[in-house]
């Protein structure tokens, strides 16, 4: 699902390109102007809330760090729980962890071991889908916790990085919704 034209134009008008960040040759997609605009941020939140209703979710998972900012208001408006997925070592108490491959090395994400109940339908929310490594690890974590992946939703998909293709096997038929693909 791509966002309707008016919503897509509004969101794109509030996303800035920052050349050579964090390193030369990379064009960073900065969503902070979108977050500062209550109309645009509200419209984005409403689009994700609609997905919560359509997929009949019990909880939303926000991926560190900008996924937290997007997913928390969605959970409030949709009247569902919010669960943060963080970098390893950031959550107190018992956690489940999942390692994943980076271009050079590995990383690990975690969620609280008791954050999801067996059978919970979970929508994963993040700002950008790039190569798909973090999202793929989050799907594995959710299933290990006994919950069901209802879908994955992102504001922006960088189609040229092939994250969607990487995620397809791990989605196991669950939808991947990108409001904007570039």
């Amino acid at each position: 699902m791509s966002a309707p034209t008016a919503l897509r134009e509004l969101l794109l008008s509030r996303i800035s390109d920052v050349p050579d960040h964090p390193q030369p040759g990379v064009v960073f997609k900065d969503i902070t102007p979108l977050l500062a605009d209550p109309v645009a941020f509200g419209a984005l939140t409403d689009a994700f809330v609609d997905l919560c209703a359509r997929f009949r979710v019990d909880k939303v998972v926000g991926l560190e760090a900008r996924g937290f900012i997007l997913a928390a208001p969605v959970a409030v408006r949709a009247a569902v729980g919010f669960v943060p997925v963080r970098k390893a070592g950031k959550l107190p108490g018992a956690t489940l962890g999942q390692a994943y491959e980076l271009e050079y090395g590995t990383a690990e994400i975690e969620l609280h071991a008791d954050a999801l109940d067996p059978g919970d339908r979970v929508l994963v929310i993040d700002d950008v889908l790039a190569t798909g490594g973090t999202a793929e690890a989050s799907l594995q974590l959710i299933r290990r916790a006994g919950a069901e992946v209802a879908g994955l939703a992102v504001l922006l998909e960088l189609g040229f990085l092939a994250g969607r293709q990487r995620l397809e096997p791990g989605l196991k038929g669950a939808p991947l919704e990108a409001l904007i693909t570039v």
Side-chain angles (χ1 to χ4, degrees), residues 129-132 157-167:
L129 173 60
T131 61
E157 177 181 356
L158 305 178
F160 60 93
L161 292 177
R164 181 177 291 268
Q165 290 78 8
R166 177 180 181 169
L167 285 173

PDB file of all heavy atoms in Angstrom, residues 129-132 157-167:
ATOM      1  N   LEU A 129      12.778   1.693   5.930  1.00  0.00           N
ATOM      2  CA  LEU A 129      13.241   0.348   5.593  1.00  0.00           C
ATOM      3  C   LEU A 129      14.391   0.520   4.613  1.00  0.00           C
ATOM      4  O   LEU A 129      14.198   1.016   3.502  1.00  0.00           O
ATOM      5  CB  LEU A 129      12.126  -0.484   4.963  1.00  0.00           C
ATOM      6  CG  LEU A 129      12.555  -1.851   4.419  1.00  0.00           C
ATOM      7  CD1 LEU A 129      13.133  -2.739   5.521  1.00  0.00           C
ATOM      8  CD2 LEU A 129      11.400  -2.539   3.724  1.00  0.00           C
ATOM      9  N   ALA A 130      15.580   0.128   5.051  1.00  0.00           N
ATOM     10  CA  ALA A 130      16.760   0.203   4.189  1.00  0.00           C
ATOM     11  C   ALA A 130      17.121  -1.225   3.761  1.00  0.00           C
ATOM     12  O   ALA A 130      16.465  -1.792   2.903  1.00  0.00           O
ATOM     13  CB  ALA A 130      17.898   0.904   4.921  1.00  0.00           C
ATOM     14  N   THR A 131      18.107  -1.832   4.410  1.00  0.00           N
ATOM     15  CA  THR A 131      18.507  -3.191   4.032  1.00  0.00           C
ATOM     16  C   THR A 131      17.663  -4.263   4.708  1.00  0.00           C
ATOM     17  O   THR A 131      17.695  -5.413   4.286  1.00  0.00           O
ATOM     18  CB  THR A 131      19.987  -3.441   4.352  1.00  0.00           C
ATOM     19  OG1 THR A 131      20.176  -3.293   5.761  1.00  0.00           O
ATOM     20  CG2 THR A 131      20.880  -2.474   3.595  1.00  0.00           C
ATOM     21  N   GLY A 132      16.936  -3.912   5.763  1.00  0.00           N
ATOM     22  CA  GLY A 132      16.004  -4.833   6.399  1.00  0.00           C
ATOM     23  C   GLY A 132      16.550  -5.676   7.528  1.00  0.00           C
ATOM     24  O   GLY A 132      15.824  -6.491   8.088  1.00  0.00           O
ATOM     25  N   GLU A 157      10.392   3.583   2.406  1.00  0.00           N
ATOM     26  CA  GLU A 157      11.166   2.427   1.959  1.00  0.00           C
ATOM     27  C   GLU A 157      12.175   2.893   0.916  1.00  0.00           C
ATOM     28  O   GLU A 157      11.804   3.530  -0.067  1.00  0.00           O
ATOM     29  CB  GLU A 157      10.251   1.374   1.344  1.00  0.00           C
ATOM     30  CG  GLU A 157      10.995   0.169   0.796  1.00  0.00           C
ATOM     31  CD  GLU A 157      10.092  -0.880   0.159  1.00  0.00           C
ATOM     32  OE1 GLU A 157       8.852  -0.716   0.206  1.00  0.00           O
ATOM     33  OE2 GLU A 157      10.635  -1.853  -0.373  1.00  0.00           O
ATOM     34  N   LEU A 158      13.438   2.562   1.151  1.00  0.00           N
ATOM     35  CA  LEU A 158      14.492   2.841   0.181  1.00  0.00           C
ATOM     36  C   LEU A 158      14.594   1.619  -0.728  1.00  0.00           C
ATOM     37  O   LEU A 158      15.368   0.696  -0.470  1.00  0.00           O
ATOM     38  CB  LEU A 158      15.816   3.135   0.885  1.00  0.00           C
ATOM     39  CG  LEU A 158      15.776   4.263   1.936  1.00  0.00           C
ATOM     40  CD1 LEU A 158      17.134   4.442   2.597  1.00  0.00           C
ATOM     41  CD2 LEU A 158      15.282   5.561   1.319  1.00  0.00           C
ATOM     42  N   GLY A 159      13.789   1.618  -1.779  1.00  0.00           N
ATOM     43  CA  GLY A 159      13.636   0.448  -2.632  1.00  0.00           C
ATOM     44  C   GLY A 159      14.922  -0.039  -3.265  1.00  0.00           C
ATOM     45  O   GLY A 159      15.098  -1.242  -3.479  1.00  0.00           O
ATOM     46  N   PHE A 160      15.852   0.862  -3.520  1.00  0.00           N
ATOM     47  CA  PHE A 160      17.109   0.496  -4.170  1.00  0.00           C
ATOM     48  C   PHE A 160      18.023  -0.340  -3.275  1.00  0.00           C
ATOM     49  O   PHE A 160      18.998  -0.912  -3.752  1.00  0.00           O
ATOM     50  CB  PHE A 160      17.843   1.751  -4.669  1.00  0.00           C
ATOM     51  CG  PHE A 160      18.184   2.735  -3.581  1.00  0.00           C
ATOM     52  CD1 PHE A 160      19.408   2.692  -2.941  1.00  0.00           C
ATOM     53  CD2 PHE A 160      17.268   3.724  -3.214  1.00  0.00           C
ATOM     54  CE1 PHE A 160      19.718   3.609  -1.937  1.00  0.00           C
ATOM     55  CE2 PHE A 160      17.563   4.644  -2.227  1.00  0.00           C
ATOM     56  CZ  PHE A 160      18.796   4.581  -1.579  1.00  0.00           C
ATOM     57  N   LEU A 161      17.706  -0.451  -1.977  1.00  0.00           N
ATOM     58  CA  LEU A 161      18.527  -1.245  -1.063  1.00  0.00           C
ATOM     59  C   LEU A 161      17.992  -2.667  -0.864  1.00  0.00           C
ATOM     60  O   LEU A 161      18.586  -3.445  -0.124  1.00  0.00           O
ATOM     61  CB  LEU A 161      18.668  -0.532   0.289  1.00  0.00           C
ATOM     62  CG  LEU A 161      19.486   0.750   0.232  1.00  0.00           C
ATOM     63  CD1 LEU A 161      19.510   1.439   1.587  1.00  0.00           C
ATOM     64  CD2 LEU A 161      20.904   0.476  -0.241  1.00  0.00           C
ATOM     65  N   ALA A 162      16.863  -2.988  -1.477  1.00  0.00           N
ATOM     66  CA  ALA A 162      16.324  -4.357  -1.518  1.00  0.00           C
ATOM     67  C   ALA A 162      15.965  -4.947  -0.156  1.00  0.00           C
ATOM     68  O   ALA A 162      15.971  -6.166   0.019  1.00  0.00           O
ATOM     69  CB  ALA A 162      17.281  -5.284  -2.278  1.00  0.00           C
ATOM     70  N   GLY A 163      15.597  -4.101   0.804  1.00  0.00           N
ATOM     71  CA  GLY A 163      15.161  -4.607   2.105  1.00  0.00           C
ATOM     72  C   GLY A 163      13.904  -5.457   2.019  1.00  0.00           C
ATOM     73  O   GLY A 163      13.762  -6.452   2.730  1.00  0.00           O
ATOM     74  N   ARG A 164      12.984  -5.083   1.147  1.00  0.00           N
ATOM     75  CA  ARG A 164      11.733  -5.838   0.980  1.00  0.00           C
ATOM     76  C   ARG A 164      12.026  -7.279   0.572  1.00  0.00           C
ATOM     77  O   ARG A 164      11.451  -8.215   1.115  1.00  0.00           O
ATOM     78  CB  ARG A 164      10.839  -5.147  -0.048  1.00  0.00           C
ATOM     79  CG  ARG A 164       9.504  -5.831  -0.288  1.00  0.00           C
ATOM     80  CD  ARG A 164       8.646  -5.044  -1.273  1.00  0.00           C
ATOM     81  NE  ARG A 164       8.187  -3.779  -0.712  1.00  0.00           N
ATOM     82  CZ  ARG A 164       7.033  -3.621  -0.067  1.00  0.00           C
ATOM     83  NH1 ARG A 164       6.212  -4.637   0.101  1.00  0.00           N
ATOM     84  NH2 ARG A 164       6.688  -2.427   0.394  1.00  0.00           N
ATOM     85  N   GLN A 165      12.948  -7.448  -0.365  1.00  0.00           N
ATOM     86  CA  GLN A 165      13.290  -8.796  -0.819  1.00  0.00           C
ATOM     87  C   GLN A 165      13.926  -9.607   0.306  1.00  0.00           C
ATOM     88  O   GLN A 165      13.649 -10.793   0.453  1.00  0.00           O
ATOM     89  CB  GLN A 165      14.235  -8.739  -2.033  1.00  0.00           C
ATOM     90  CG  GLN A 165      13.577  -8.225  -3.298  1.00  0.00           C
ATOM     91  CD  GLN A 165      13.398  -6.700  -3.341  1.00  0.00           C
ATOM     92  OE1 GLN A 165      13.876  -5.958  -2.497  1.00  0.00           O
ATOM     93  NE2 GLN A 165      12.668  -6.231  -4.341  1.00  0.00           N
ATOM     94  N   ARG A 166      14.758  -8.969   1.104  1.00  0.00           N
ATOM     95  CA  ARG A 166      15.383  -9.651   2.239  1.00  0.00           C
ATOM     96  C   ARG A 166      14.331 -10.095   3.251  1.00  0.00           C
ATOM     97  O   ARG A 166      14.438 -11.160   3.845  1.00  0.00           O
ATOM     98  CB  ARG A 166      16.399  -8.733   2.903  1.00  0.00           C
ATOM     99  CG  ARG A 166      17.047  -9.343   4.132  1.00  0.00           C
ATOM    100  CD  ARG A 166      18.039  -8.415   4.770  1.00  0.00           C
ATOM    101  NE  ARG A 166      18.666  -9.024   5.923  1.00  0.00           N
ATOM    102  CZ  ARG A 166      19.709  -8.525   6.543  1.00  0.00           C
ATOM    103  NH1 ARG A 166      20.258  -7.416   6.110  1.00  0.00           N
ATOM    104  NH2 ARG A 166      20.209  -9.123   7.591  1.00  0.00           N
ATOM    105  N   LEU A 167      13.307  -9.252   3.453  1.00  0.00           N
ATOM    106  CA  LEU A 167      12.300  -9.530   4.483  1.00  0.00           C
ATOM    107  C   LEU A 167      11.233 -10.530   4.061  1.00  0.00           C
ATOM    108  O   LEU A 167      10.577 -11.123   4.912  1.00  0.00           O
ATOM    109  CB  LEU A 167      11.601  -8.226   4.879  1.00  0.00           C
ATOM    110  CG  LEU A 167      12.399  -7.288   5.746  1.00  0.00           C
ATOM    111  CD1 LEU A 167      11.660  -5.977   5.918  1.00  0.00           C
ATOM    112  CD2 LEU A 167      12.684  -7.916   7.091  1.00  0.00           C
TER     113      LEU A 167
END
